[in-house]
Amino acid sequence: MIQIESLEFNYPQGEFRLSIPRMTVEHGEKVAVIGPSGSGKTTLLNLIAGISRPRQGSITVANQRISDYRDARRRNFRITEIGFVFQDFELLDYLNVIDNILHPYRITRALKLTRRVQHRAVELAEGLGIGNKLKRYSSELSQGEKQRAAICRALLPRPRLILADEATGNLDPRNKGRILDLLFDNVASSEATLLAVTHDHELLPRFDRVVDFLDYRNDAA
Ligand code: ADP
Ligand code: MG
């Protein structure tokens, strides 16, 4: 599902360098990404989602070499194929919860907003315990509720790849278990692949494999 070769990345500003000689994630694998704050976990997810582009090397996702794609094509690819739960949620303040969840369907013709999709959106929200918050604006939500709305939005199109950036970070233990169950159920039912950044070591046994960012530390930087 994901192949990375000879990846080199740096931001225009700052010292940070990310070098990944090789990394592969198989179709259907559930992989946890761990590592200290600032080690580049979010940067890696942004590269895999095509939000950033590598300086060198290649990134192939679902057999598409997205590192070669131009901006518009990478964006389309991301919206249709990847469910991204952002660390800072990236909900739109001027939309209520249900409109945030449906938003990807309104910005691309590649996703068709049908009654069925609308129904599933409500079902997902109910499953995550925010079914009674659909008309609220994101400024009126707790961190945990924002996070759950962001997860609904990411799962709704049944993406083949789910990238989750500390998706359980703001949740109490009960909600954490529930959300993880829902994430894993969705991954299984849509035969998706999951790459999830987590700091929660007690969750690691639920994954097939752990990628530790300490292995990619670039002390030369
Ligand atoms: P993590 O998710 O593992 O905490 P990040 O990928 O967010 O780490 O960040 C890795 C490093 O890149 C950090 O040192 C961070 O300060 C730096 N960084 C992140 N975003 C930018 C940016 N837009 N411009 C410059 N440096 C950045
Ligand atoms: Mg991060």
Side-chain angles (χ1 to χ4, degrees):
M1 178 49 91
I2 305 171
Q3 284 94 30
I4 294 176
E5 296 278 349
S6 313
L7 173 86
E8 299 286 342
F9 175 83
N10 59 270
Y11 289 102
Q13 264 129 37
E15 308 270 274
F16 180 74
R17 301 273 177 283
L18 183 64
S19 302
I20 301 182
R22 199 180 146 72
M23 181 178 156
T24 305
V25 176
E26 300 297 335
H27 175 93
E29 243 189 327
K30 297 185 279 290
V31 178
V33 177
I34 61 169
S37 177
S39 58
K41 303 179 299 296
T42 297
T43 303
L44 175 66
L45 295 198
N46 286 339
L47 284 159
I48 292 170
I51 294 166
S52 312
R53 277 180 94 174
R55 179 164 56 81
Q56 270 174 45
S58 71
I59 302 174
T60 305
V61 180
N63 296 320
Q64 304 201 50
R65 198 167 150 130
I66 56 153
S67 48
D68 290 349
Y69 287 5
R70 286 176 183 281
D71 289 355
R73 199 168 168 205
R74 286 207 315 280
R75 180 174 172 275
N76 246 355
F77 175 82
R78 176 166 68 252
I79 292 171
T80 53
E81 306 283 354
I82 296 178
F84 201 142
V85 185
F86 296 95
Q87 189 167 12
D88 52 4
F89 322 125
E90 305 210 356
L91 296 175
L92 298 165
D93 292 336
Y94 57 89
L95 295 178
N96 65 24
V97 167
I98 190 68
D99 287 331
N100 263 293
I101 294 172
L102 296 173
H103 187 249
Y105 286 80
R106 298 193 166 121
I107 57 172
T108 175
R109 265 179 286 177
L111 296 173
K112 286 261 173 313
L113 183 53
T114 60
R115 291 192 85 84
R116 225 182 138 133
V117 169
Q118 277 169 322
H119 186 74
R120 183 172 138 77
V122 174
E123 251 175 25
L124 276 171
E126 283 169 355
L128 286 169
I130 52 167
N132 57 344
K133 304 276 160 72
L134 295 178
K135 297 288 176 198
R136 293 251 194 118
Y137 287 87
S138 61
S139 58
E140 304 164 332
L141 299 175
S142 71
Q143 291 294 98
E145 288 163 350
K146 285 183 194 174
Q147 196 154 37
R148 286 180 274 162
I151 292 170
C152 288
R153 181 181 57 188
L155 293 179
L156 186 59
R158 297 188 195 276
R160 284 196 279 176
L161 175 61
I162 296 167
L163 301 174
D165 204 349
E166 303 189 29
T168 57
N170 291 286
L171 303 169
D172 58 88
R174 204 175 122 256
N175 274 317
K176 199 191 289 182
R178 194 154 101 184
I179 282 180
L180 228 72
D181 290 342
L182 201 108
L183 257 178
F184 279 96
D185 286 354
N186 264 271
V187 168
S189 70
S190 42
E191 293 178 30
T193 305
L194 174 66
L195 192 64
V197 174
T198 181
H199 282 299
D200 210 330
H201 284 240
E202 69 191 50
L203 302 180
L204 298 183
R206 300 189 64 161
F207 291 86
D208 299 320
R209 189 157 61 90
V210 177
V211 168
D212 189 342
F213 253 71
L214 283 179
D215 299 340
Y216 301 127
R217 192 166 51 183
N218 190 344
D219 291 322

